[in-house]
Amino acid sequence: MGELAAEKHVKYIVSVEKKKDSFEAVVMEHLRLNGAYWGVTTLDLLGKLHAVDVNEVVSWILSCQHESGGFGGNIGHDPHVLFTLSAVQVLALFDKLDVLDVEKVSNYVAGLQNEDGSFSGDEWGEVDTRFSYIAICCLSLLRRLEKVNVENAVKYIVSCKNLDGGFGSTPGGESHAGQIFCCVGALAITGSLHHVDRDLLGWWLCERQVKSGGLNGRPEKLPDVCYSWWVLSSLTMIDRVHWINKEKLVKYILDCQDTENGGISDRPDDAVDVYHTYFGVAGLSLLEYPGLKAIDPAYALPVDVVNRIFLRR
């Protein structure tokens, strides 16, 4: 088995940030704030957060904020709860949450809750359990969870639970590993994991491991490095991570590395990107790979960052 090419991955992430005219930068222009979260969190897990200019990143993030209090994916883009969470997460990594008008940001997020407890992603009203997780995670990091009806939020998430133990994007939606992470993460943050059938869901999640050692998101799909996070974090939160073959998963993730130029891809020998680099490294962190900081499975931030927020007072 190979080793994690940590230094190469650091160089890759820093280089992506600097190549603003590259194809990758152009196609990610509308979600650059997400890219910043993926890249900066990876650097922190690798112990190299100092590789970026903190003041420059913080200044750019604040320039992505809309008058509503929410953040867009880039300067001049419409606000959305997804980008707002990424902004909060990156500022938390830098210990710079104090630059925010917390009331304004939390009011924007809380204002997206609907009467049935669900959350819309933005003013246009799309509803998805992803947004439930994002809103709950964001408000919790800002210590403003009391601004929403948590009981109704939990009821809505539970209404999206399926007979196989998994969760969908809306009531009756197909179980999917990404949605399961969102629902289990939101339930974990709100202290509501008793709503999860741990054995039934654990069985569905551990069946996502295929012969190569990688994980897929749904039955009969190809494995993808990103599910090293979505599946593994969910298994960790319900204490069933020992139901998969950890060694084979580690090998699969390492096999997806570009050991020459850095970065991690979805599958071996595919093109690398920041998204899969982050989720590959985050998965290895959950697997307790040597040399990586520990990551919190619910907040998707290094444990020391989460502790700094909640143990400060």
Side-chain angles (χ1 to χ4, degrees):
M1 187 188 301
E3 294 185 355
L4 183 66
E7 291 300 326
K8 294 287 180 68
H9 299 326
V10 171
K11 290 180 180 178
Y12 165 71
I13 290 167
V14 173
S15 71
V16 168
E17 165 59 25
K18 292 178 179 177
K19 295 177 182 174
K20 293 185 172 61
D21 295 324
S22 68
F23 173 76
E24 189 170 14
V26 171
V27 296
M28 281 184 61
E29 194 264 347
H30 65 293
L31 45 74
R32 190 166 174 233
L33 197 40
N34 290 155
Y37 160 68
W38 300 326
V40 174
T41 310
T42 304
L43 292 176
D44 198 16
L45 291 173
L46 293 168
K48 300 292 184 180
L49 190 58
H50 60 272
V52 293
D53 185 324
V54 175
N55 293 327
E56 182 182 334
V57 176
V58 170
S59 176
W60 171 74
I61 287 175
L62 292 177
S63 67
C64 294
Q65 189 170 23
H66 191 263
E67 59 186 17
S68 64
F71 288 78
N74 209 331
I75 299 171
H77 287 238
D78 291 342
H80 193 285
V81 71
L82 172 57
F83 306 122
T84 302
L85 174 60
S86 288
V88 169
Q89 288 172 315
V90 175
L91 292 174
L93 284 164
F94 291 137
D95 197 15
K96 293 286 187 178
L97 285 175
D98 57 348
V99 304
L100 287 176
D101 180 337
V102 173
E103 294 305 316
K104 190 173 184 180
V105 177
S106 56
N107 285 338
Y108 167 77
V109 176
L112 294 170
Q113 187 173 32
N114 303 304
E115 287 188 15
D116 63 356
S118 65
F119 285 84
S120 299
D122 57 16
E123 64 178 316
W124 306 111
E126 180 188 5
V127 172
D128 190 309
T129 47
R130 287 179 301 151
F131 307 146
S132 295
Y133 164 76
I134 290 165
I136 287 169
C137 182
C138 189
L139 290 171
S140 182
L141 291 171
L142 294 174
R143 303 173 72 93
R144 294 294 187 278
L145 201 50
E146 75 281 355
K147 285 183 178 284
V148 295
N149 188 323
V150 174
E151 183 179 353
N152 279 359
V154 169
K155 283 182 180 177
Y156 180 77
I157 292 169
V158 172
S159 75
C160 298
K161 184 166 67 171
N162 293 318
L163 293 174
D164 55 18
F167 293 82
S169 58
T170 53
E174 179 186 8
S175 294
H176 183 283
Q179 304 292 158
I180 288 169
F181 161 77
C182 291
C183 293
V184 173
L187 293 176
I189 291 170
T190 57
S192 307
L193 280 176
H194 56 279
H195 290 292
V196 177
D197 185 329
R198 298 181 184 225
D199 284 346
L200 185 61
L201 177 57
W203 180 249
W204 190 93
L205 288 168
C206 77
E207 284 199 318
R208 304 281 61 76
Q209 189 164 37
V210 300
K211 288 183 179 180
S212 64
L215 300 164
N216 61 25
R218 289 177 291 166
E220 303 302 320
K221 296 291 184 179
L222 293 173
D224 187 318
V225 155
C226 70
Y227 293 111
S228 304
W229 171 260
W230 307 119
V231 173
L232 208 56
S233 56
S234 300
L235 284 169
T236 301
M237 287 186 279
I238 63 173
D239 195 28
R240 297 294 183 274
V241 74
H242 55 287
W243 285 10
I244 64 162
N245 188 317
K246 296 181 182 180
E247 290 74 21
K248 288 189 70 173
L249 179 55
V250 169
K251 183 180 185 304
Y252 178 81
I253 297 172
L254 295 178
D255 285 346
C256 293
Q257 297 181 105
D258 180 339
T259 54
E260 291 185 15
N261 302 307
I264 298 175
S265 58
D266 57 348
R267 286 179 278 279
D269 300 321
D270 280 358
V272 303
D273 57 60
V274 176
Y275 173 87
H276 289 94
T277 301
Y278 165 55
F279 287 114
V281 172
L284 289 173
S285 173
L286 286 176
L287 291 163
E288 300 178 317
Y289 190 87
L292 295 178
K293 290 174 67 172
I295 192 167
D296 186 285
Y299 289 101
L301 286 169
V303 170
D304 64 328
V305 174
V306 175
N307 288 343
R308 187 169 64 208
I309 292 171
F310 295 109
L311 301 180
R312 177 165 283 172
R313 297 179 193 173

